[in-house]
């Protein structure tokens, strides 16, 4: 019997618009997403580099763009956060131990909080026993250590814990530790369909 649920954030609660972001970078002169940008993103999500180092790294690939323009485009990925998902989460929080585990960075979280306001994000964070962001933890999914950290910290039993994420590599890594998983298919499924999945 599941008594704990660990949720991802992006495309689970807040919708992401990756196409607009990529189009925006192309308009700023980026030829293609590459390994260097991938590594910058990973290091920033782990909190290993500063905001300035991250943005300057991107600027090398778009030399005619300003730091402000790059940051603005970086934030276009953050779309809407439907209220019905928050209400569903609030209902869930009365029955289960809930945790948030997100690969994210300081720019995106700061922007999310500014956009939705303290009342909304306060209500959201309050649903969770603890909120975990990769940039604060110094580790990220799908590395096994990040799941193990939650299991150990909160004395969670893997077989009684469900992990919900839209990326298969992340749910596969959790499943390898014995955690129950739901690899949510974005655009076809919604987090509020949880009870229809017969996992709980």
């Amino acid at each position: 019997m599941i008594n704990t649920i660990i949720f991802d954030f992006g495309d689970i609660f807040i919708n992401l618009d990756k196409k607009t972001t990529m189009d925006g970078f192309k308009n700023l002169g980026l030829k293609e997403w590459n390994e260097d940008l991938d590594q910058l993103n990973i290091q920033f999500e782990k909190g290993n580099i500063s905001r300035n180092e991250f943005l300057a790294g991107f600027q090398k690939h778009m030399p005619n763009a300003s730091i402000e323009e790059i940051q603005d485009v970086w934030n276009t990925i953050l779309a809407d956060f439907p209220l019905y998902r928050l209400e569903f989460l609030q209902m869930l929080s009365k029955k289960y131990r809930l945790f948030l585990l997100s690969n994210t960075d300081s720019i995106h979280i700061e922007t999310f909080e500014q956009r939705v306001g303290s009342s909304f994000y306060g209500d959201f964070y309050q649903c969770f026993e603890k909120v975990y962001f990769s940039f604060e933890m110094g580790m990220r999914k799908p590395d096994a250590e990040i799941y193990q950290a939650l299991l150990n910290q909160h004395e969670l039993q893997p077989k009684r814990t469900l992990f919900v994420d839209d990326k298969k590599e992340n749910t596969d890594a959790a499943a390898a530790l014995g955690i129950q998983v739901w690899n949510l298919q974005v655009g076809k499924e919604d987090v509020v369909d949880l009870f229809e999945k017969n996992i709980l």
Side-chain angles (χ1 to χ4, degrees), residues 7 9 11 34 36 57 74 85 103 105-106 108 113 116 119 125 130 142 144 158 161 170 174-176 197:
F7 288 104
F9 183 28
D11 268 341
N34 57 45
D36 184 40
W74 184 244
R85 289 184 187 153
N103 282 354
D105 60 72
S106 55
H108 280 161
E113 292 178 354
V116 301
S119 176
Y125 293 157
K130 192 162 173 58
T161 301
N170 294 344
K197 304 304 290 182

Side-chain angles (χ1 to χ4, degrees), residues 110-126:
E110 188 180 291
T111 302
F112 159 68
E113 292 178 354
Q114 284 172 350
R115 285 187 189 169
V116 301
S118 58
S119 176
F120 188 96
Y121 77 70
D123 286 348
F124 175 56
Y125 293 157
Q126 206 169 2

Side-chain angles (χ1 to χ4, degrees), residues 17-30 62 65 69-70 72-74 76:
D17 187 352
K18 296 167 187 169
K19 184 181 185 308
T20 295
T21 305
M22 283 310 302
D23 290 347
F25 281 138
K26 283 175 183 165
N27 289 339
L28 292 181
L30 182 68
M62 295 167 270
E69 287 173 323
I70 292 168
D72 286 347
V73 169
W74 184 244
T76 59

Side-chain angles (χ1 to χ4, degrees), residues 92-108:
L92 268 188
S93 69
K94 296 181 174 72
K95 302 176 183 177
Y96 298 91
R97 296 179 70 185
L98 303 183
F99 297 89
L100 190 71
L101 180 62
S102 174
N103 282 354
T104 189
D105 60 72
S106 55
I107 294 176
H108 280 161

Side-chain angles (χ1 to χ4, degrees), residues 27-146:
N27 289 339
L28 292 181
L30 182 68
K31 292 185 175 59
E32 61 176 3
W33 189 269
N34 57 45
E35 179 64 23
D36 184 40
L37 297 177
D38 244 353
Q39 287 306 312
L40 278 167
N41 184 40
I42 288 170
Q43 293 308 312
F44 194 38
E45 283 188 347
K46 284 186 173 180
N48 291 341
I49 58 173
S50 70
R51 173 184 304 225
N52 290 343
E53 288 170 316
F54 171 72
L55 294 169
F58 265 60
Q59 196 177 35
K60 286 176 186 167
H61 297 270
M62 295 167 270
N64 296 323
S66 70
I67 290 293
E68 290 73 21
E69 287 173 323
I70 292 168
Q71 181 165 304
D72 286 347
V73 169
W74 184 244
N75 282 325
T76 59
I77 196 169
L78 300 173
D80 62 313
F81 186 142
L83 181 61
Y84 72 85
R85 289 184 187 153
L86 174 60
E87 292 169 343
F88 175 73
L89 193 62
Q90 288 170 323
M91 179 270 293
L92 268 188
S93 69
K94 296 181 174 72
K95 302 176 183 177
Y96 298 91
R97 296 179 70 185
L98 303 183
F99 297 89
L100 190 71
L101 180 62
S102 174
N103 282 354
T104 189
D105 60 72
S106 55
I107 294 176
H108 280 161
I109 292 306
E110 188 180 291
T111 302
F112 159 68
E113 292 178 354
Q114 284 172 350
R115 285 187 189 169
V116 301
S118 58
S119 176
F120 188 96
Y121 77 70
D123 286 348
F124 175 56
Y125 293 157
Q126 206 169 2
C127 294
F128 302 100
E129 198 170 310
K130 192 162 173 58
V131 170
Y132 286 100
F133 294 134
S134 60
F135 74 94
E136 294 175 335
M137 296 178 75
M139 51 183 107
R140 72 193 286 281
K141 301 173 288 187
D143 298 340
E145 61 179 354
I146 199 165

